[in-house]
Amino acid sequence: MPFRNAAVIAANILRTPTLRNIFILCLTISVLLPTYSTFFIMPSFSEQLTRNTEDDASRTAAHLASMLFLHSSDLTREIFSPEIIRDIEQSKKDLQLEKIKAFSKSGEIIYSSDALDIGKMNQKTYFHEIVAKGRIYSLIVRKNSETAENRIVDRDVAEVYIPIMRDNEFKGAFEIYYDITVRKQNLSSLLKQSSIILYTIAVILLLSVVFMLLNVSESMVRREKAEGALQESHNRLQGLVAEQVNEIIVTQKTSVEALAILAEHYDYDTGEHLIRIQEYVEILTSWLQKNPPYDTYISNKPTYINDVRFASLLHDIGKVAISREILTKPGKLTSEEFDKVKEHTLIAGEVLNEANAAFVKSFGKDSYLALARDIALFHHEKWDGSGYPNGLKGEAIPLSARIVALADVYDALRSARPYKEAFTHMDSVNIIVSEKEKHFDPYVVEAFLAQADKFSEISSHPGKLRGLPLTPDRGP
């Protein structure tokens, strides 16, 4: 398990862009430091050693040339008298030189601190193509390696050829050997120390960054796990809340439907009045949402259609307070009886208003009960102001009540009652059209006419709820 966690933490570094970039950057720096030392610093020191040796050789050659040219304008074997040789040997000793050779301009060795070399010819390309043309030629020769003249040396030496020029004319050359064993050892030691320091810095840097990244990655992995657990808990809680809310909604809907059916228990018609009213209301409201002048009003209320549909169940809830004898009377109602029936709007409005006020007190906003109050209280108001209970006129009547008013009347016309036969669909349409701008909002009538075929289909095919539909109000 620890190995698995470590693998997860390490993998997180590679899949997190910021951490991955930091790791790559530090790894690059760690590799570049020793690489820079190997390919730039070390060659630079070696080049500096060569330059220093060449400078020393040039000064030595100039010194030797100054002694020789006192006696001749060319380098020849004759000018190397015993006195000159003695001076050269002393200079060799003073300057700690390994070996000195002098070449004529043809490449013949006319003097050497090793007498065996005298008389030999240097036919090498570097001598005739470089030295004879006035340029210094130098070579660092490692121990047990060949010199430019194919001689094996038993120590580290610097072999430098210095051209001797007079009036821009090549007169000959000196070959000076330096024993650079100590210098090279010192340089190698310095470079080794530098390399060790750079490698150590690189390793420490890389390990520090890796340790830091692992800690950061571990924190991220822990946080992700915590967030995952929190999200899982949140999802479970949301599921529980959704389940509870759904239970509440179902319970609420069932309770409201039960109350609505209870309010209509006086009517034994087997039609499904409540279901049909809801469907009519949804059809009308959906059409009005897409067409002026109420489209903006409805669209600005996202739940308006569902709320009006649900609230329409309670449009006649106030009839629970009306005598059953009055509600089921087969004949025409007296004035007193009709006035009693009218009270169902006021009773429902008061009860539903109090219920909504309690909701507002608890949650600070209206519920669907506010629409249910408007529908129950005002669905018998008429566009021309001749309705009840308040004689409201035109747009003073809430839109929800105007919509339910038309749906309720259409369903009443299409339903058989003890005191009348059911009207045909066309007769019902004609009656509603005749009441345009009298009983009904003209725009709601337009919505009804646009969807009249759907009304006919719904009235001819009852739904699943076997409700107890309402009778239309009957005046005296």
Side-chain angles (χ1 to χ4, degrees):
M1 184 63 73
F3 176 78
R4 180 182 178 185
N5 290 339
V8 171
I9 292 169
N12 185 63
I13 294 176
L14 298 179
R15 68 181 175 85
T16 304
T18 301
L19 298 184
R20 183 176 65 246
N21 292 340
I22 292 174
F23 175 74
I24 292 174
L25 176 62
C26 291
L27 179 61
T28 302
I29 293 173
S30 299
V31 171
L32 286 179
L33 280 175
T35 302
Y36 179 76
S37 173
T38 301
F39 294 100
F40 292 94
I41 295 179
M42 291 182 181
S44 176
F45 274 96
S46 297
E47 288 174 7
Q48 187 61 47
L49 175 61
T50 301
R51 285 195 296 270
N52 291 341
T53 304
E54 289 178 352
D55 290 341
D56 288 345
S58 296
R59 287 191 293 271
T60 300
H63 170 69
L64 296 176
S66 66
M67 293 188 299
L68 295 174
F69 286 129
L70 290 174
H71 305 280
S72 175
S73 60
D74 290 324
L75 283 180
T76 61
R77 186 179 299 186
E78 288 74 21
I79 67 174
F80 287 91
S81 64
E83 292 79 10
I84 294 296
I85 293 174
R86 219 174 17 249
D87 290 340
I88 292 176
E89 291 295 333
Q90 186 60 44
S91 296
K92 174 177 174 290
K93 182 178 180 182
D94 292 341
L95 298 175
Q96 298 180 343
L97 304 178
E98 177 69 15
K99 189 175 183 180
I100 298 177
K101 289 181 183 179
F103 294 85
S104 68
K105 60 184 178 181
S106 64
E108 179 186 1
I109 300 176
I110 55 178
Y111 167 78
S112 174
S113 54
D114 182 355
L116 296 177
D117 294 329
I118 297 174
K120 294 180 180 179
M121 294 293 294
N122 189 330
Q123 300 296 336
K124 301 291 185 179
T125 302
Y126 66 83
F127 185 86
H128 295 282
E129 296 296 327
I130 298 177
V131 181
K133 292 183 179 181
R135 299 198 303 273
I136 296 175
Y137 177 76
S138 60
L139 181 66
I140 301 296
V141 184
R142 294 182 179 181
K143 181 180 179 179
N144 298 322
S145 299
E146 283 189 351
T147 66
E149 298 173 357
N150 305 117
R151 184 169 62 89
I152 303 297
V153 294
D154 58 359
R155 64 190 68 190
D156 295 321
V157 298
E159 185 178 4
V160 185
Y161 290 81
I162 309 295
I164 304 300
M165 309 294 292
R166 293 292 297 271
D167 300 325
N168 293 323
E169 184 180 351
F170 179 65
K171 299 296 184 177
F174 282 105
E175 180 185 7
I176 302 172
Y177 284 81
Y178 287 87
D179 182 354
I180 61 169
T181 303
V182 175
R183 292 189 198 180
K184 203 164 182 303
Q185 286 176 349
N186 292 338
L187 177 61
S188 298
S189 177
L190 177 62
L191 293 177
K192 183 178 180 181
Q193 291 175 6
S194 299
S195 297
I196 291 173
I197 292 173
L198 288 175
Y199 274 103
T200 302
I201 291 173
V203 170
I204 291 174
L205 173 63
L206 186 60
L207 290 177
S208 298
V209 170
V210 168
F211 182 74
M212 178 194 71
L213 292 178
L214 287 174
N215 283 338
V216 173
S217 180
E218 183 178 11
S219 298
M220 291 177 64
V221 170
R222 288 179 179 175
R223 185 182 67 186
E224 288 175 359
K225 287 182 179 179
E227 289 176 350
L230 182 62
Q231 184 62 44
E232 185 178 348
S233 177
H234 176 69
N235 292 340
R236 285 199 302 268
L237 181 60
Q238 276 192 324
L240 291 174
V241 170
E243 185 178 348
Q244 292 293 324
V245 169
N246 186 57
E247 289 180 2
I248 292 172
I249 291 173
V250 171
T251 301
Q252 180 190 60
K253 186 175 184 296
T254 303
S255 300
V256 169
E257 289 176 349
L259 287 172
I261 293 173
L262 178 63
E264 302 186 28
H265 73 287
Y266 55 83
D267 196 321
Y268 295 102
D269 190 326
T270 57
E272 296 173 338
H273 175 63
L274 292 176
I275 286 294
R276 292 194 299 270
I277 288 293
Q278 284 188 296
E279 293 178 351
Y280 297 150
V281 165
E282 182 174 359
I283 289 171
L284 291 174
T285 310
S286 297
W287 191 90
L288 291 171
Q289 183 188 33
K290 300 173 183 177
N291 298 276
Y294 303 133
D295 50 339
T296 301
Y297 174 80
I298 297 174
S299 296
N300 287 339
K301 301 176 182 295
T303 62
Y304 187 81
I305 295 176
N306 286 333
D307 288 347
V308 172
R309 173 190 170 94
F310 189 49
S312 67
L313 284 170
L314 299 175
H315 70 284
D316 274 338
I317 190 68
K319 288 186 176 180
V320 295
I322 308 302
S323 168
R324 180 181 177 84
E325 288 73 17
I326 295 176
L327 294 175
T328 58
K329 183 178 178 179
K332 193 173 185 180
L333 299 178
T334 65
S335 296
E336 293 78 12
E337 289 172 335
F338 189 54
D339 287 340
K340 191 68 177 175
V341 170
K342 290 180 180 180
E343 292 179 3
H344 82 280
T345 59
L346 298 172
I347 293 170
E350 181 179 356
V351 171
L352 292 173
N353 185 62
E354 291 180 0
N356 185 63
F359 187 91
V360 172
K361 184 177 180 180
S362 297
F363 300 102
K365 62 179 181 179
D366 285 326
S367 72
Y368 78 97
L369 293 169
L371 283 172
R373 172 201 61 206
D374 291 344
I375 292 170
L377 183 58
F378 301 121
H379 74 285
H380 286 295
E381 299 285 2
K382 297 182 179 181
W383 184 257
D384 62 5
S386 62
Y388 67 87
N390 295 331
L392 299 181
K393 184 177 181 180
E395 292 188 359
I397 307 168
L399 177 60
S400 56
R402 284 179 261 157
I403 293 171
V404 172
L406 190 148
D408 192 33
V409 169
Y410 176 82
D411 196 68
L413 291 171
R414 294 284 284 130
S415 301
R417 296 291 185 251
Y419 53 87
K420 77 169 185 70
E421 296 294 328
F423 285 83
T424 66
H425 171 69
M426 287 307 303
D427 288 339
S428 300
V429 170
N430 291 333
I431 291 172
I432 288 175
V433 170
S434 70
E435 290 296 314
K436 182 179 181 180
E437 296 185 345
K438 297 176 185 178
H439 191 158
F440 305 116
D441 180 338
Y443 296 109
V444 177
V445 174
E446 287 183 15
F448 166 71
L449 292 176
Q451 303 293 310
D453 290 343
K454 292 183 180 179
F455 272 68
S456 177
E457 183 179 353
I458 292 170
S459 65
S460 304
H461 298 85
K464 295 181 179 180
L465 176 64
R466 307 308 296 174
L468 300 173
L470 301 172
T471 58
D473 288 327
R474 307 190 306 283

